Structure formats: C-alpha cells, structure tokens
Amino acid sequence: AVAAGAGMVLSGTDVGIVAALEIGGHQREIGIVFVFWCAASVVGGLIYGAMHRPIPPIILLLGMAALTMPMAFAHNTWALALISVLPGLLCAPVLSAASEKVADLVSEERRGEAMGWYGSALTAGVALGSPLAGIFIDVMGPSGGFLSVGAAGVVLCLVGLVLQQRRRRAGA
C-alpha cells in the first residue's frame, strides 16, 4: 500500500508541477522546480540512510503526502521550487523504507517474489497518480493536482494506520 501510495503521490506531483508551470507560461522553468525537488530527495535519502533507527514507511508517506498539498498555493516558479523541497526530502526515504520493510518481513527464499509485488504496487500507484491529478487539474486548475494526490495519500495512510492499530489490538 505504501509503495502504491508513494507512486501515486510522486507521479501526481510531477503532473501538477508541469501543469502549474504550463498554465503560468513558465514551462521553460520546469528544470528549476525539478532540481529543487530531486535534490531534496537526494539529501533526504542521505539523511535517512545515515540514521540508525528506521522510520515506518507509512509515517514517511503520510508526511510526504501532507507536505505535497501546500504546493497547490505556489504562485510562481521559485515559490513552487522552494515548497517542493519539504515533500522532496521524504521521496527517497519513503521508497527506501518501504523496500526495507518488505525485505524485513519476507524470508530470503520469498524475497524476489515480494520485491516483484513491491515493484508492481509502485507501478500501479504511478499509473493511478497521473490521471488522478489530471482529472483534478482539469476541474480545479493546477492546484487540484497537488491537493488530490496529497489528500489521497493522507487518506491511504490514515486508513493503513487504523488497520494496523486494529490488528495490534486483535493480536493482544
């Protein structure tokens, strides 16, 4: 679920960035935003990799999804680039933590299959995120792309956290 949610948020954000800059007539400045967003992901990945305690992937996705929504309120290229840094910091950590969790939960004999399912879930999320953002962009404008995938990611995480809590209570 986290892999699918991450794919959805990332691909929807990508579409939202393109739409926001294209509508404003700044499509030539797309590289500026992507440099900030992607550089933040690299920095976040390095910081996460240096940590000694893993953070649950669902918490990282919740943060990334929630921090994606403020991108809807950027009114120029530089504001969008700067706001993209916060969710960008969590991109690589979400993906790393999710694949690490799969590796921890699955025995070595089954790990190849499990990672295949992880990759398929990520791909399914990517396939869902772009059209989801596109529909809301068509209805609301570019801000709809960021708000839709951010909100969908938050809802996915909250449902997941509630289900985890129920499972813990049932096991206790």
Side-chain angles (χ1 to χ4, degrees):
V2 170
M8 176 190 64
V9 172
L10 291 172
S11 67
T13 301
D14 188 348
V15 171
I17 290 169
V18 171
L21 295 176
E22 190 173 304
I23 288 222
H26 300 284
Q27 55 269 40
R28 291 185 179 173
E29 298 171 353
I30 193 167
I32 295 168
V33 179
F34 279 113
V35 163
F36 277 75
W37 191 38
C38 295
S41 179
V42 170
V43 170
L46 291 171
I47 292 169
Y48 182 77
M51 294 174 62
H52 298 291
R53 275 186 52 198
I55 299 171
I58 198 163
I59 299 300
L60 292 167
L61 177 58
L62 178 61
M64 184 176 77
L67 291 170
T68 295
M69 291 189 285
M71 293 174 72
F73 305 107
H75 294 293
N76 62 54
T77 303
W78 289 103
L80 187 59
L82 291 172
I83 295 170
S84 76
V85 168
L86 291 175
L89 285 168
L90 296 173
C91 292
V94 167
L95 298 172
S96 177
S99 63
E100 180 182 15
K101 187 71 169 178
V102 169
D104 288 346
L105 291 173
V106 178
S107 67
E108 194 170 332
E109 305 85 48
R110 306 292 307 256
R111 199 162 292 147
E113 179 184 353
M115 293 309 289
W117 283 106
Y118 168 82
S120 295
L122 184 61
T123 301
V126 168
L128 174 67
S130 296
L132 175 65
I135 290 168
F136 281 88
I137 289 166
D138 288 345
V139 173
M140 299 173 58
S143 63
F146 301 118
L147 294 172
S148 63
V149 296
V154 167
V155 167
L156 174 76
C157 290
L158 294 176
V159 168
L161 288 168
V162 166
L163 292 175
Q164 282 181 352
Q165 189 66 21
R166 276 189 173 171
R167 188 180 75 207
R168 284 187 193 117
R169 284 186 191 153

